[in-house]
């Protein structure tokens, strides 16, 4: 595995563009920008997006001197217009709070949000934000310009900065009594178990549904989110590598796509990042009714994520280290269920790549249920908790052990435009 572990694309990095959910035509983009109080639209360019938003770079003329300004217009889409509005307003509130406290994230460009309609008639809700420079982490991993420890070290530092920001009012708490976090993630009515035999058929041909609902897996996932011993606060909720931008000139990282933000155990963000990129696997060509081979843990990437986070935050406790395996299982299970539900039930005609994408996260769950992998992960987390005195440095890499792996400043410059994750 050696060098491949450092260069392998994240497990969760299937091409989200194959499931683009919405398009806004030029007239709708102009109308929405006017409703947001922005300048005249000069041009627009769609960014790669996935299952919950359409993202555009929009170039505007300034009101006074006519100088062009580029912003990002995000149109949130959901199962209802009300839910889409909730996502847009939530994102505005979180980005405003992050900007106020200097955390690395795009600042809102308007205090307003606006209803919008996609070309296929989908009801959505839009908000505008700053266009940041940089390259999406998944692109850097895919191209080989960066290795996983460098990218995930940057994610760790960015998460530590975000976790220092007080959560704005109105965010859902994933650990609150009666929380339907997993159902909201999957986009299926709560509780999931009530729909076994209808939405979730235990006799479906892949065997995944029967596995997912067995052995108390959902109960374990809900319990760890509610663990009162874990430090809690503002979460990004989806810090996969495609949701971090690395600026190759300044060596800074910023988190984008905050529509899953919430309140919960701070370590859950680390678990999500781990599920999204600290595992790799061989090509999965098995038949759909054969479980995927368990994923392989990229220990260097996980170690960098946790060590840089712990040093930047100034705290990462033993309880968090112990809970990390179950928290990662929680996210991987929820993501696998979401992908299976969306691309097998909601959209039965989804592309084959989307239909098989749940297997990536299933493979991570299978790996984490192996005692040896769980023990290795706890050992890495424990080491991060025990080495809080070391401070991460991009050029020296002192807090993250491997100097070579953490030199983001040495990444090759790229002319590619920034990429939005969701």
């Amino acid at each position: 595995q050696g060098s491949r572990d450092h260069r392998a694309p994240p497990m969760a990095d299937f091409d989200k563009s194959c499931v683009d959910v919405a398009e806004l035509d030029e007239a709708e983009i102009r109308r929405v920008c006017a409703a947001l109080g922005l300048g005249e639209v000069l041009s627009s360019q769609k960014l790669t997006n996935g299952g919950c938003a359409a993202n555009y770079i929009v170039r505007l003329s300034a009101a006074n001197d006519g100088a062009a300004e580029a912003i990002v217009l995000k149109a949130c889409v959901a199962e209802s217009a009300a839910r889409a509005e909730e996502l847009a307003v939530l994102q505005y509130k979180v980005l405003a709070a992050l900007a106020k406290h200097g955390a690395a994230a795009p600042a809102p460009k308007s205090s307003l949000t606006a209803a919008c309609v996609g070309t296929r008639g989908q009801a959505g809700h839009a908000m505008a934000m700053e266009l940041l420079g940089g390259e999406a982490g998944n692109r850097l991993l895919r191209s080989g310009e960066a290795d996983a420890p460098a990218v995930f070290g940057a994610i760790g530092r960015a998460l530590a900065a975000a976790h220092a920001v007080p959560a704005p009012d109105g965010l859902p708490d994933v650990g609150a009594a009666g929380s339907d976090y997993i159902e909201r993630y999957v986009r299926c009515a709560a509780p999931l178990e009530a729909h076994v035999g209808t939405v979730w058929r235990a006799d479906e041909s892949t065997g995944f549904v029967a596995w997912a609902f067995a052995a108390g897996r959902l109960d374990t996932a809900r319990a760890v989110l509610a663990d009162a011993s874990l430090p809690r606060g503002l979460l990004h909720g989806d810090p996969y590598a495609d949701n971090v931008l690395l600026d190759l000139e300044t060596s800074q990282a910023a988190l984008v796509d905050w529509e899953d933000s919430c309140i919960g155990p701070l370590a859950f963000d680390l678990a999500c990042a781990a599920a999204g990129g600290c595992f790799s696997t061989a090509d999965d060509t098995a038949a759909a009714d054969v479980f995927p081979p368990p994923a392989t843990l990229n220990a260097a990437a996980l170690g960098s994520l946790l060590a840089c986070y712990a040093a930047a935050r100034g705290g990462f406790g033993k309880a968090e280290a112990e809970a990390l395996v179950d928290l990662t299982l929680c996210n991987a299970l929820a993501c696998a269920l979401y992908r299976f539900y969306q691309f097998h039930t909601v959209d039965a005609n989804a592309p084959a790549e989307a239909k098989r994408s749940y297997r990536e996260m299933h493979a991570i769950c299978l790996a984490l249920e192996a005692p040896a992998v769980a023990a290795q992960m706890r050992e890495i987390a424990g080491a991060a908790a025990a080495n809080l005195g070391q401070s991460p440095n991009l050029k020296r890499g002192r807090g993250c052990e491997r100097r070579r792996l953490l030199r983001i400043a040495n990444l090759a410059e790229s002319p590619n435009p920034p990429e939005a994750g969701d």
Side-chain angles (χ1 to χ4, degrees), residues 223-236:
V224 71
L225 290 177
D227 187 341
S229 71
L230 302 177
R232 308 176 73 80
L234 173 65
L235 300 182
H236 178 281

Side-chain angles (χ1 to χ4, degrees), residues 260-283:
D260 290 312
S261 52
C262 53
I263 296 169
L266 299 180
F268 188 49
D269 262 349
L270 297 170
C272 296
C278 294
F279 292 85
S280 59
T281 190
D283 291 339

Side-chain angles (χ1 to χ4, degrees), residues 95-173:
L95 292 179
L98 292 165
K100 178 180 178 181
H101 290 85
K109 297 300 290 185
S110 171
S111 60
L112 304 173
T113 64
C116 59
V117 180
T119 55
R120 299 193 299 273
Q122 313 97 310
H125 214 85
M127 54 90 62
M129 69 188 79
E130 177 185 15
L131 174 63
L132 299 178
E135 190 78 21
N138 62 326
R139 279 190 172 184
L140 293 172
L141 291 167
R142 192 185 300 126
S143 68
E145 294 176 81
D147 52 28
V151 170
F152 283 90
I155 293 174
R157 286 183 291 272
L159 286 174
H163 290 171
V165 175
D169 294 338
L171 294 185
D173 187 331

Side-chain angles (χ1 to χ4, degrees), residues 19 63 80 108 127 155 176 181 213-214 256 270 331 361 365 389:
V19 292
S80 68
M127 54 90 62
I155 293 174
Y181 164 77
F213 284 84
V256 298
L270 297 170
N331 179 256
M361 308 312 288
C365 293

Side-chain angles (χ1 to χ4, degrees), residues 147-404:
D147 52 28
V151 170
F152 283 90
I155 293 174
R157 286 183 291 272
L159 286 174
H163 290 171
V165 175
D169 294 338
L171 294 185
D173 187 331
V174 300
S179 170
D180 61 350
Y181 164 77
I182 293 176
E183 285 80 3
R184 287 168 68 91
Y185 193 111
V186 176
R187 299 189 185 181
C188 181
L192 293 185
E193 292 88 339
H195 306 285
V196 173
T198 53
V199 171
W200 306 98
R201 296 189 59 84
D203 60 351
E204 55 83 25
S205 61
T206 71
F208 168 72
V209 169
W211 173 89
F213 284 84
R217 290 184 174 91
L218 284 169
D219 290 338
T220 299
R222 293 180 180 120
V224 71
L225 290 177
D227 187 341
S229 71
L230 302 177
R232 308 176 73 80
L234 173 65
L235 300 182
H236 178 281
D238 189 25
Y240 283 19
D242 57 339
N243 287 335
V244 62
L245 294 178
L246 300 181
D247 189 311
L248 303 178
E249 294 185 0
T250 66
S251 302
Q252 298 299 307
L255 292 164
V256 298
D257 286 354
W258 286 80
E259 51 260 57
D260 290 312
S261 52
C262 53
I263 296 169
L266 299 180
F268 188 49
D269 262 349
L270 297 170
C272 296
C278 294
F279 292 85
S280 59
T281 190
D283 291 339
D284 176 15
T285 58
D289 61 350
V290 176
F291 281 6
T296 300
L297 176 64
N298 185 332
L302 180 65
S304 182
L305 169 73
L306 299 181
C308 289
Y309 174 83
R313 188 182 114 187
F316 183 65
K318 182 178 178 181
E320 293 175 294
E322 285 294 319
L324 193 65
V325 171
D326 282 345
L327 287 168
T328 307
L329 266 168
C330 174
N331 179 256
L333 177 60
C335 188
L337 286 165
Y338 162 76
R339 292 180 179 182
F340 190 92
Y341 177 59
Q342 290 298 315
F343 305 136
H344 288 255
T345 301
V346 176
D347 184 3
N349 297 316
E353 180 184 9
K355 284 188 177 296
R356 289 182 67 87
S357 64
Y358 79 91
R359 294 172 62 86
E360 298 174 329
M361 308 312 288
H362 188 189
I364 294 173
C365 293
L366 295 174
L368 289 168
E369 290 185 346
V373 176
Q376 183 185 16
M377 196 167 182
R378 290 190 180 97
E379 181 180 4
I380 294 168
N387 289 293
L388 297 179
Q390 298 184 352
S391 175
N393 183 293
L394 287 175
K395 295 185 177 180
R396 296 184 180 179
R398 177 169 174 79
C400 302
E401 298 180 350
R402 298 190 180 189
R403 180 180 60 188
R404 179 183 64 81

Side-chain angles (χ1 to χ4, degrees), residues 74 76 87-95 257-259:
K74 177 182 283 288
C76 299
L87 288 173
V89 171
L90 177 150
Q91 230 174 144
Y92 164 75
K93 291 171 64 175
V94 171
L95 292 179
D257 286 354
W258 286 80
E259 51 260 57

